[in-house]
Amino acid sequence: MDEKTANGDDVRRRVVELATRAEAIVEALEAKAADGRWAMTAFSRYRLCELLDVMPYDRYEGELEDDPAALLDEAAGLADQIDVSIEDLSWRLALGDALRTAAGDIRRVRDAGDV
């Protein structure tokens, strides 16, 4: 494996790690909220999980105190750096869009709950 491929794999792993942590945080928030508002983020979060082959509602052992939208923003910036073949370019573009959409949905729901 050459260095470029190894770095690309590291970036992909980091994107998956950030998205998985964000998903776990939102799941915890969803479980605590009695009004069901977090369900409005379900579609964008599911789309993201599908693109990354992440199992939603899977057990997560890590830290759940971070801002999930900020984690997804960081992941989106990294996703833009993933070097892919021309055949996988649409996947990378869809991934960046899914990360940004999920982050925006999370912010809207979170901010609406703060009002």
Side-chain angles (χ1 to χ4, degrees), residues 3-110:
E3 185 176 329
K4 188 175 182 180
T5 303
N7 289 340
D9 289 345
D10 290 344
V11 172
R12 283 182 193 233
R13 273 193 291 281
R14 180 69 178 147
V15 168
V16 169
E17 174 188 313
L18 290 166
T20 301
R21 188 163 31 146
E23 175 64 15
I25 292 167
V26 173
E27 289 167 2
L29 293 169
E30 187 176 26
K32 292 177 191 173
D35 59 8
R37 71 181 181 266
W38 288 100
M40 295 187 323
T41 67
F43 179 77
S44 60
R45 290 171 35 223
Y46 181 78
R47 177 178 170 228
L48 177 57
C49 289
E50 281 291 307
L51 286 166
L52 291 173
D53 291 327
V54 170
M55 288 296 297
Y57 300 99
D58 203 10
R59 186 176 177 101
Y60 183 78
E61 299 293 333
E63 181 63 43
L64 297 177
E65 297 299 319
D66 292 318
D67 175 7
L71 294 172
L72 295 177
D73 286 337
E74 181 181 345
L78 291 171
D80 292 341
Q81 299 173 24
I82 297 174
D83 189 28
V84 295
S85 67
I86 194 72
E87 293 84 16
D88 291 331
L89 184 58
S90 64
W91 171 84
R92 191 188 77 192
L93 294 172
L95 176 61
D97 180 65
L99 287 159
R100 289 176 181 87
T101 300
D105 289 351
I106 289 166
R107 277 191 189 88
R108 278 186 285 287
V109 168
R110 180 192 61 208

